[in-house]
Amino acid sequence: MTPVHGIWLLDVLDILLVAILFYRLLILVKGTRSAQMYVGLLVIVLVGLVARELDLIAIRWIVESLKTVWLIAFVILFQPELRHVLALFGRTRYFRSFLRGENIGFLGETIRAVETLGRRRHGALIVIERNTGLRNFVETGTRLDAKASAELLVTLFSPGSPLHDGAVILREDNVLAASCILPLSSNPRMSEMFGTRHRAALGLSEETDAAVIVVSEQTGGISVAFRGRLRQNLNEGELRSELSRIFRVRSEDENQEPELTEDASASDEPEVRATGKA
C-alpha cells in the first residue's frame, strides 16, 4: 500500500482531521431537523459511490450533475449550524482576547436587569465569565444556554421563580446556567460583615477572574466583586463604568492590582464597606 504523502504521519493526521470534522458535524446536528438532511446527503453520496462502482450510468449521471449545486445547497441547508460553529470559534478564549474591548454590548442587558432588580429589591447574584473557565460552577446549577436579556435575568431572580436561589452564570451574551452554587469567601471577617450573596461573590472573585454582580435583597444596593475586592452602592453610571473597566483590562495589566476606589478601605482585607447583612 502506497501512502498518499511521502510521510505516513501526514496520512494519519489527514484521516484524524476528517474523522474529527465529521464527528463534530454529527454532534452539531444531533436532535435537530438538520440531522435528517445530513443523513439524506450521506445517502446521496453513498448512492453515487455505488453507482460508480457498478457502472450505473443513469444514476451516476444524476449524482454527478448534482455536484455543481452541492456547495450552494450545503450552505443553504446548514446555514444556522454554520453560523453556530463560527460563533463558537469566536467565543474561544484565544479569540475572545482580541475582541474583548469591542464585544461588551451584552453588558447593557445585564445592567438593565440589575437596575430593575435593585428597584424591586429582588436579591440577585450574576457572574460574568472572563478568561478563567467556570465549568465546575456551571455544573452545580440548571443548564440553560439561552440568549441573555434583561427580561430573562429579571424573571430568573423573581421570588416566585424556582431558579431564583443561587447564581446565574453568563458567558458574554449567553446565559449558561442558573441556580449555581458558588464558594464562600475564605476571609473569616466577611462572615460577620456580609450575607451569603456577598460572601459568595467575594469567594468566586478570590478563586477566578470573573466579575460578580450582587443585588442586595434588603436594600436593593448594587455591588461588584472582582479579584477579591468589592465595590458597593453603585449607581447605574458607576456600574457601567466598573464593568467596562473590568472587561477592557489588557492582558499585560492582568496581574496588576485594581486602583483603590473612593469607597474602599485601606486595610489588607478585601476592599469593602460594611453596610449590614444582604
Side-chain angles (χ1 to χ4, degrees):
M1 182 177 180
T2 304
V4 178
H5 300 94
I7 304 177
W8 279 91
L9 184 60
L10 293 178
D11 295 328
V12 174
L13 179 62
D14 192 19
I15 294 173
L16 286 176
L17 290 176
V18 172
I20 292 173
L21 178 62
F22 274 90
Y23 172 76
R24 295 303 302 175
L25 187 58
L26 285 171
I27 294 298
L28 186 65
V29 301
K30 181 180 178 181
T32 67
R33 291 181 300 176
S34 300
Q36 297 176 352
M37 294 186 291
Y38 184 71
V39 172
L41 289 176
L42 290 179
V43 170
I44 294 176
V45 172
L46 292 176
V47 169
L49 294 175
V50 172
R52 187 173 61 182
E53 291 296 326
L54 300 180
D55 198 22
L56 302 177
I57 299 176
I59 298 296
R60 188 176 61 183
W61 177 82
I62 293 174
V63 173
E64 289 180 352
S65 299
L66 291 175
K67 287 182 180 179
T68 57
V69 297
W70 271 19
L71 179 60
I72 298 176
F74 183 84
V75 173
I76 294 175
L77 293 175
F78 295 98
Q79 181 185 10
E81 285 72 21
L82 291 174
R83 292 174 61 185
H84 181 61
V85 169
L86 293 175
L88 288 178
F89 276 119
R91 287 178 179 175
T92 57
R93 68 177 57 182
Y94 301 105
F95 291 104
R96 288 207 309 264
S97 61
F98 295 100
L99 303 174
R100 187 176 310 283
E102 300 176 357
N103 191 24
I104 59 172
F106 69 97
L107 294 179
E109 292 293 315
T110 305
I111 293 171
R112 279 207 304 130
V114 169
E115 285 294 306
T116 301
L117 292 168
R119 288 194 300 269
R120 298 179 182 179
R121 294 193 177 184
H122 291 172
L125 190 58
I126 301 175
V127 179
I128 306 178
E129 185 184 72
R130 295 181 73 247
N131 294 323
T132 305
L134 302 176
R135 180 178 178 182
N136 291 339
F137 304 107
V138 169
E139 292 175 349
T140 64
T142 301
R143 191 84 185 203
L144 295 180
D145 287 321
K147 179 78 172 180
S149 66
E151 292 76 15
L152 175 59
L153 294 174
V154 171
T155 301
L156 288 174
F157 287 109
S158 297
S161 169
L163 301 178
H164 77 281
D165 284 329
V168 166
I169 298 180
L170 306 181
R171 177 181 293 157
E172 295 186 351
D173 61 347
N174 186 32
V175 180
L176 295 180
S179 193
C180 299
I181 301 174
L182 305 184
L184 300 182
S185 174
S186 58
N187 191 329
R189 182 181 172 187
M190 296 302 101
S191 60
E192 301 176 359
M193 298 173 61
F194 297 105
T196 304
R197 283 194 181 90
H198 289 78
R199 290 162 57 199
L202 282 168
L204 185 67
S205 69
E206 290 168 354
E207 297 185 12
T208 71
D209 65 347
V212 189
I213 305 174
V214 188
V215 179
S216 171
E217 188 173 353
Q218 290 189 355
T219 66
I222 300 170
S223 306
V224 174
F226 181 61
R227 294 199 178 280
R229 299 187 179 186
L230 186 71
R231 286 199 62 188
Q232 294 184 269
N233 300 323
L234 303 178
N235 57 37
E236 181 179 357
E238 292 170 337
L239 175 62
R240 186 180 298 273
S241 175
E242 180 69 8
L243 292 178
S244 297
R245 182 189 68 80
I246 291 173
F247 283 88
R248 284 174 177 162
V249 174
R250 298 185 179 182
S251 57
E252 59 264 28
D253 299 328
E254 287 290 315
N255 295 323
Q256 296 181 7
E257 294 292 338
E259 59 182 301
L260 297 181
T261 58
E262 60 181 4
D263 60 334
S265 65
S267 66
D268 293 332
E269 302 296 338
E271 294 188 20
V272 296
R273 174 181 291 174
T275 58
K277 298 278 184 179

